[in-house]
Amino acid sequence: MAEGLEGDVRRRCYLQYGSTLRNLGRLDESVTVFTQARREFPDSVALGAFESLTLHAAGQVNTALGRLLALLADHLHSEEIDRYKPAMRGNAEYLASLDSSATSESAR
């Protein structure tokens, strides 16, 4: 990665590296890889889906589900889903806030 991978190869490398770290139980590192990958490739549905798997494995289950709801709202286009996108996005934000609140409380 540091040697200059670009484009789709870089995106796929992030996904595979982040997933490997998750499978090895190196969850904090996996979260970091996916955070960087999503900064570089914010529209990648595959990165978002696998990031959600990592977040779930790291115990951030509400955030994981919220991110998946946001992916659906942002990338799935159907008449039925389109009607509910604002509610899906609102629920996604609410779910993420639950994990944020739990993290803040455990730090006290």
Side-chain angles (χ1 to χ4, degrees), residues 2-15:
E3 297 299 318
L5 292 177
E6 296 178 0
D8 189 56
V9 172
R10 185 174 179 90
R11 182 195 56 79
R12 288 184 296 152
C13 185
Y14 271 129
L15 192 149

Side-chain angles (χ1 to χ4, degrees), residues 72-103:
L72 285 173
D74 292 344
H75 297 283
L76 182 65
H77 303 290
S78 75
E79 189 174 315
E80 183 179 17
I81 291 291
D82 288 345
R83 180 176 297 121
Y84 299 104
K85 283 185 178 185
M88 291 171 70
R89 286 190 180 102
N91 279 290
E93 289 174 20
Y94 170 72
L95 288 167
S97 76
L98 295 176
D99 283 342
S100 296
S101 297
T103 302

Side-chain angles (χ1 to χ4, degrees), residues 28 31 52 54-67 95-96 99-100 103:
D28 290 340
V31 168
S52 292
T54 289
L55 292 168
H56 183 272
Q60 298 178 42
V61 296
N62 295 307
T63 301
L65 179 57
R67 297 271 176 95
L95 288 167
D99 283 342
S100 296
T103 302

Side-chain angles (χ1 to χ4, degrees), residues 6-56:
E6 296 178 0
D8 189 56
V9 172
R10 185 174 179 90
R11 182 195 56 79
R12 288 184 296 152
C13 185
Y14 271 129
L15 192 149
Q16 293 168 3
Y17 182 48
S19 292
T20 298
L21 290 169
R22 182 189 72 247
N23 290 331
L24 293 172
R26 295 166 55 183
L27 301 175
D28 290 340
E29 292 171 82
S30 181
V31 168
T32 299
V33 167
F34 280 112
T35 298
Q36 179 61 36
R38 298 286 284 148
R39 267 192 228 116
E40 290 185 36
F41 302 96
D43 294 327
S44 173
V45 177
L47 279 171
F50 281 87
E51 177 189 39
S52 292
L53 289 170
T54 289
L55 292 168
H56 183 272

